[in-house]
């Protein structure tokens, strides 16, 4: 729970001076159940929920409110294989907003599917990850990660990796009211990224290299 007080709202506020205040209440909880179904299979169920309730005041009179809620479900399976370990998981994220404003969009959901594997073959270290997000607002997005390392000694290893990423705007940005759409267009834009990293031993420190953007 928090409270912010402002001496004045600035030249863009009406009135330009006054007792501006914002009260904010944050809440979150999570539950999980981890079960060892066999010697090679561990299953984990998770449920999480969070909320952000903000109210704005001018001279102790409420002028606005906005509340966002997020609910997340996840089922994760960790598998021990003859070579390495694997991860399989599904997730669902539900987001919604309510308040005094008029919203272009008041809710969205994201269904995600994840698969990963890592293991060692003699002195070779390998890791692969794939992820698919079905976003009700931005559509389907596929991302991945791959890494390779070579173990020269017990304390010396060189590695290289490549990955892609997609970042959707935070829960508030997609629900921006129409009147501020132009101001928030840049902040509301989704983000895509890719990165390649190489690391090799250089005594006594490690050195990292990234290709120019």
């Amino acid at each position: 729970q928090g409270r912010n007080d402002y001496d004045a709202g600035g030249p863009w506020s009406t009135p330009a001076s006054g007792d501006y205040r914002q009260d904010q209440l944050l809440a979150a909880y999570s539950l999980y159940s981890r079960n060892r179904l066999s010697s090679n299979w561990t299953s984990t169920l998770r449920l999480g929920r969070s909320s952000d309730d903000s109210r704005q005041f001018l001279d102790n009179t409420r002028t606005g409110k906005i509340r966002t809620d997020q609910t997340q479900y996840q089922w994760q399976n960790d598998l021990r294989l003859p070579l390495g370990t694997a991860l399989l998981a599904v997730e669902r994220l539900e987001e919604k907003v309510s308040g005094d404003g008029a919203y272009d969009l008041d809710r969205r959901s994201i269904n995600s599917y994840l698969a990963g594997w890592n293991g060692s073959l003699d002195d070779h270290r390998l890791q692969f990850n794939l992820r698919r997000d079905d976003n009700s607002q931005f559509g389907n997005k596929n991302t991945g990660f791959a890494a390779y390392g070579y173990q020269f000694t017990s304390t010396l290893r060189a590695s290289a990796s490549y990955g892609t990423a997609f970042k959707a705007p935070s829960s508030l940005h997609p629900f921006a009211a129409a009147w501020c759409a132009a101001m928030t267009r840049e902040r509301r834009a989704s983000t895509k990224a890719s990165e390649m990293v190489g690391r090799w031993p250089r005594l006594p420190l490690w050195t990292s290299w990234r290709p120019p953007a």
Side-chain angles (χ1 to χ4, degrees):
Q1 185 173 358
R3 169 172 170 165
N4 295 313
D5 291 280
Y6 306 94
D7 293 333
W12 299 279
S13 299
T14 305
S17 62
D19 182 14
Y20 289 88
R21 188 180 89 241
Q22 175 177 281
D23 293 344
Q24 186 176 38
L25 179 63
L26 303 175
Y29 71 84
S30 63
L31 302 170
Y32 77 92
S33 174
R34 179 173 290 116
N35 303 280
R36 191 177 181 87
L37 303 181
S38 73
S39 60
N40 297 322
W41 179 14
T42 300
S43 176
T44 306
L45 294 171
R46 291 186 178 91
L47 168 65
R49 184 174 176 82
S50 63
S51 63
D52 182 344
D53 193 339
S54 299
R55 303 182 181 222
Q56 295 75 41
F57 297 85
L58 171 59
D59 296 330
N60 291 323
T61 300
R62 201 191 77 187
T63 57
K65 68 175 181 178
I66 183 170
R67 177 187 173 95
T68 59
D69 293 276
Q70 292 188 342
T71 305
Q72 185 174 31
Y73 313 88
Q74 185 189 68
W75 181 27
Q76 178 177 320
N77 296 275
D78 298 288
L79 306 171
R80 294 178 58 187
L81 304 176
L83 179 60
T85 59
L87 179 146
L88 298 172
V90 292
E91 293 179 353
R92 177 174 174 82
L93 177 64
E94 299 173 349
E95 299 176 313
K96 65 179 181 178
V97 65
S98 59
D100 293 334
Y103 302 99
D104 299 329
L105 180 69
D106 64 358
R107 64 188 61 222
R108 72 176 180 184
S109 63
I110 306 172
N111 294 319
S112 303
Y113 311 90
L114 304 86
W117 177 86
N118 71 84
S120 300
L121 184 61
D122 294 329
D123 293 325
H124 304 276
R125 308 291 183 260
L126 300 166
Q127 180 179 350
F128 302 98
N129 296 93
L130 294 173
R131 180 185 179 103
R132 178 180 177 86
D133 294 302
D134 294 339
N135 191 306
S136 62
Q137 183 182 15
F138 294 101
N140 302 329
K141 304 296 178 182
N142 299 315
T143 55
F145 175 83
Y148 169 78
Y150 187 82
Q151 196 77 41
F152 293 98
T153 69
S154 60
T155 59
L156 205 59
R157 179 193 301 179
S159 64
S161 63
Y162 176 80
T164 59
F166 171 80
K167 185 180 186 305
S170 67
S171 58
L172 275 178
H173 293 165
F175 309 125
W179 61 268
C180 67
M183 297 176 61
T184 62
R185 184 178 298 114
E186 184 172 318
R187 296 177 63 191
R188 291 169 60 186
S190 58
T191 302
K192 296 180 180 179
S194 61
E195 182 180 49
M196 181 171 60
V197 179
R199 291 185 174 90
W200 59 92
R202 181 182 178 184
L203 297 178
L205 300 175
W206 284 78
T207 301
S208 298
W209 170 80
R210 289 178 171 82

